[in-house]
Amino acid sequence: MVSAAALKPQPQAAGAALDVVDVSHHFDIDGAALPVLDHVTLSAAPGEFVALLGPSGCGKSTLLRLVAGLEPPRAGRLLEDGRVIAGPHPSRVVVFQDPTLFPWRTVWKNVALGLEAQGIIKSERHRVDAALAMVGLSGFSNAYPHQLSGGMAQRVSLARALVNDPDILVLDEPLGKLDSLTRLSMQTEIVSLWQRQGFTTLLVTHDVEEALFLAQRVVVFSERPAKLKADIQVDRPYPRHRGDPHLADLRRQILGLLGLDATW
Amino acid sequence: MPTYSVSDALELDVGTQLASRTSSLLRAVRGHAIGFAAGLGWAAFGLSCLWRDDIGDWSRTQEVAIAGFAIGGAIALAAAVGLWSRAVGGAVQRRAPWLLLIGLLLAAWEVVTAKLGLLPQPFFPPPQAIVEVYTDDLPKLVESVFASVKLQLGGYLIGAAVGFVTGVSIGWSRAVGYWVHPVLRFIGPLPATAWLPIAFFAFPSSWSASTFLIALATGFPVTVLTWSGVASVSSAYYDVARTLGAKPSFLVFKVAIPAALPHVFVGLFMGLGASFAVLVVAEMMGVKSGLGWYLQWAQGWAAYANMYAALLVMSLLCSGAITALFKVRDRLLVWQKGVVKW
Ligand SMILES: Nc1ncnc2c1ncn2[C@@H]1O[C@H](COP(=O)(O)OP(=O)(O)OP(=O)(O)O)[C@@H](O)[C@H]1O
Ligand SMILES: [Mg+2]
């Protein structure tokens, strides 16, 4: 992935390489096996931004759980910088589909969670403030999650991930619950964060335009069990323009892969 | 036409404004009136004490009458202050209906017991008889209160602590659950008082036996609810914490326990109720001190006024304990919306 490094202006910290090697996974439901991932092989170079697209329920979130190390795969291997992923590690942080903020903690303490768990909160308090400022919620430090709107909660969960300065950032539809305006500004924000910090990013989204606006590569999965259907390079420099005709072509191609060509 | 309707509307407006102003004034006077009425209610109680001679021999009738007038006067004074001070006025208005009712009930109680003897004596002592207990038997009552509080507090704190730790352990560790759960199922539902005969000879002192029983009564609900609280914590919270680098101790102390806390407080509340029952029974059966023992003693001497006096103190203590528990809960669970106000 030479293009990845070339497209990025001077990253401060390099992200980690991610390799998913021939991974298959299934769940046991009442004794029957429900296959979810079918021989998925995928890699992301350090600092690369990869978007994952696929039909609902095909297994995208499951793949992200394996990358996070929350579950071991039934078959195949996942590697971070060539080392097998054996469990969760704060170098790989996930923004889950639901914000899952801890209701008993204030916004500030929710964002501080990772630093506290790693025992470094005392010296790193400023990082929490910075992360909150980044998502525009400095004024809500002392609010409790039940006092936030859905979009604000999602932003807090983004701040909670970013404060850890991850090597790999795993995003599971992080903008799904935002209104369209906040969504657009958060997309721009994510790109500039990624360019500044240089982490490898894995983004699951249902929004093809979002994938094309953000990612250097778009990977399309089939229906469950998820198989790799296409791996598309988006060779466009940042900042991108939403009206870019090349992106429109790619969008048509991807919607076709997802079986939606007749409807748009 | 338009002019007419406008002036009409204007007039109407002034009219409604006037009406609303008078009605608010009326409402204010009526609001204060109930404050004065409450004062009169207590004065009526004072008068009822002086109305005619007592049918029995009670030594505090005069003092109770004076107290009735004094309280009535204080309420009336507060109501008068309320005409100027909004804060005082509001406080008086909120309490006035209850104060009025209590004053009238006391007066009625006085009349049907001490004055007319409509209720059989000595089973239904008049207010002055109960006041007499508080003035003349105070040392013994205070001593009993201290004994009860000490016993209750010791047993409750031990039971709550052990129950909490057990509950968290069962909820967290499969191995602990395997061994403790059957024991809990077997012993827990047994009323703690059923252990009473065994406890009193198995323990070196009746005090330690009672402490054990109170702890047992408290511990069971606290254990079960803490356990169910820990077991029902959404796994999504653990996933989040683990991806952020949390170690098992962090998962227990910073995820499982805070998330289970609302359940824990339900257990603490139920345990408190259960432990009160055990406390009173234990004091009646074995411990030679405390309010339960005082009740038993009063009954032995047919001192019914002492019983009512002790019951009143006991209900204040129990209610106070629950209030304190709810205060602690409100403080720890500010993050919950819509918690019940006690
Ligand atoms: N813990 C689990 N136990 C059993 N089945 C599961 C579990 N988690 C997910 N599944 C199943 O695996 C399949 C894939 O789920 P997954 O959450 O990965 O889908 P997804 O691609 O993220 O969908 P969406 O885009 O709607 O979020 C689904 O059919 C789901 O029912
Ligand atoms: Mg999903």
Side-chain angles (χ1 to χ4, degrees), chain B residues 207-233:
Chain B
W207 183 81
S208 53
S210 309
T211 302
F212 167 75
L213 292 178
I214 292 169
L216 198 65
T218 308
F220 178 58
V222 174
T223 304
V224 171
L225 276 139
T226 305
W227 167 30
S228 88
V230 170
S232 66
V233 176

Side-chain angles (χ1 to χ4, degrees), chain A residues 69-89:
Chain A
L70 289 168
E71 283 172 50
R74 304 282 180 145
R77 289 182 310 155
L78 292 108
L79 310 168
E80 176 188 7
D81 270 346
R83 290 182 306 274
V84 172
I85 293 173
H89 190 273

Side-chain angles (χ1 to χ4, degrees), chain A residues 65 103-104 116 118 146 164, chain B residues 237 239 242 244 254 258 335:
Chain A
R65 283 181 67 80
W104 57 90
E116 203 180 314
Q118 295 154 49
H146 78 257
N164 297 286
Chain B
Y237 292 142
D239 287 348
R242 284 171 62 210
L244 294 174
K254 299 289 176 115
W335 52 272

Side-chain angles (χ1 to χ4, degrees), chain B:
Chain B
M1 237 357 212
T3 336
Y4 172 74
S5 66
V6 164
S7 73
D8 200 34
L10 264 176
E11 252 175 49
L12 219 141
D13 195 38
V14 170
T16 41
Q17 247 181 32
L18 251 175
S20 81
R21 198 174 302 158
T22 38
S23 86
S24 78
L25 202 70
L26 261 177
R27 223 181 300 131
V29 169
R30 213 182 302 138
H32 290 292
I34 187 127
F36 290 114
L40 283 178
W42 279 79
F45 170 51
L47 273 178
S48 72
C49 295
L50 301 178
W51 175 41
R52 51 192 281 189
D53 283 340
D54 289 346
I55 58 159
D57 181 22
W58 292 295
S59 63
R60 299 285 174 190
T61 313
Q62 296 280 334
E63 286 92 331
V64 170
I66 293 170
F69 288 125
I71 294 173
I75 295 173
L77 189 69
V81 172
L83 289 174
W84 286 279
S85 157
R86 195 177 280 267
V88 176
V92 171
Q93 272 177 48
R94 236 177 298 124
R95 294 174 178 82
W98 264 110
L99 287 171
L100 175 60
L101 181 69
I102 293 171
L104 294 178
L105 283 178
L106 283 172
W109 178 14
E110 175 70 27
V111 169
V112 298
T113 54
K115 302 305 177 186
L116 301 178
L118 295 178
L119 290 174
Q121 297 299 323
F123 307 107
F124 298 96
Q128 56 263 47
I130 290 170
V131 172
E132 199 179 317
V133 174
Y134 290 134
T135 55
D136 297 9
D137 203 20
L138 192 63
K140 191 144 57 157
L141 256 178
V142 169
E143 204 179 295
S144 302
V145 167
F146 269 114
S148 286
V149 169
K150 208 172 102 191
L151 188 57
Q152 165 71 22
L153 214 59
Y156 184 73
L157 290 181
I158 294 173
V162 172
F164 177 73
V165 172
T166 315
V168 172
S169 315
I170 310 175
W172 190 255
S173 155
R174 216 171 274 262
V176 175
Y178 175 81
W179 291 108
V180 178
H181 182 207
V183 179
L184 198 67
R185 278 184 71 163
F186 188 63
I187 292 177
L190 205 61
T193 41
W195 292 92
L196 210 82
I198 302 173
F200 275 121
F201 73 73
F203 277 84
S205 66
S206 60
W207 183 81
S208 53
S210 309
T211 302
F212 167 75
L213 292 178
I214 292 169
L216 198 65
T218 308
F220 178 58
V222 174
T223 304
V224 171
L225 276 139
T226 305
W227 167 30
S228 88
V230 170
S232 66
V233 176
S234 160
S235 66
Y237 292 142
Y238 296 125
D239 287 348
V240 167
R242 284 171 62 210
T243 56
L244 294 174
K247 288 164 197 61
S249 65
F250 189 93
L251 296 182
V252 176
F253 292 106
K254 299 289 176 115
V255 183
I257 289 177
L261 224 46
H263 283 81
V264 175
F265 271 99
V266 176
L268 287 171
F269 175 71
M270 289 168 58
L272 200 55
S275 66
F276 288 149
V278 177
L279 171 75
V280 173
V281 174
E283 285 178 342
M284 285 181 170
M285 304 291 285
V287 191
K288 291 275 169 284
S289 63
L291 283 170
W293 168 79
Y294 188 95
L295 278 176
Q296 185 89 341
W297 167 86
Q299 198 214 8
W301 288 96
Y304 291 96
N306 296 58
M307 275 179 59
Y308 288 105
L311 266 180
L312 203 64
V313 171
M314 203 184 272
S315 92
L316 285 178
L317 283 178
C318 294
S319 173
I322 288 178
T323 305
L325 181 66
F326 273 61
K327 279 257 151 62
V328 173
R329 183 197 66 167
D330 288 349
R331 174 156 286 223
L332 283 178
L333 301 187
V334 277
W335 52 272
Q336 271 194 318
K337 43 183 173 177
V339 286
V340 181
K341 287 276 171 273
W342 162 252

Side-chain angles (χ1 to χ4, degrees), chain A residues 36-117:
Chain A
V36 175
L37 298 175
D38 185 9
H39 299 283
V40 174
T41 296
L42 178 71
S43 42
E48 198 178 12
F49 198 135
V50 179
L52 310 181
L53 284 170
S56 179
C58 75
K60 304 181 296 293
S61 296
T62 306
L63 178 63
L64 296 192
R65 283 181 67 80
L66 301 185
V67 170
L70 289 168
E71 283 172 50
R74 304 282 180 145
R77 289 182 310 155
L78 292 108
L79 310 168
E80 176 188 7
D81 270 346
R83 290 182 306 274
V84 172
I85 293 173
H89 190 273
S91 68
R92 280 169 274 119
V93 180
V94 187
V95 177
F96 290 91
Q97 212 162 348
D98 291 320
T100 35
L101 301 180
F102 290 11
W104 57 90
R105 284 176 163 246
T106 60
V107 164
W108 197 93
K109 295 209 93 189
N110 262 289
V111 175
L113 203 63
L115 302 178
E116 203 180 314

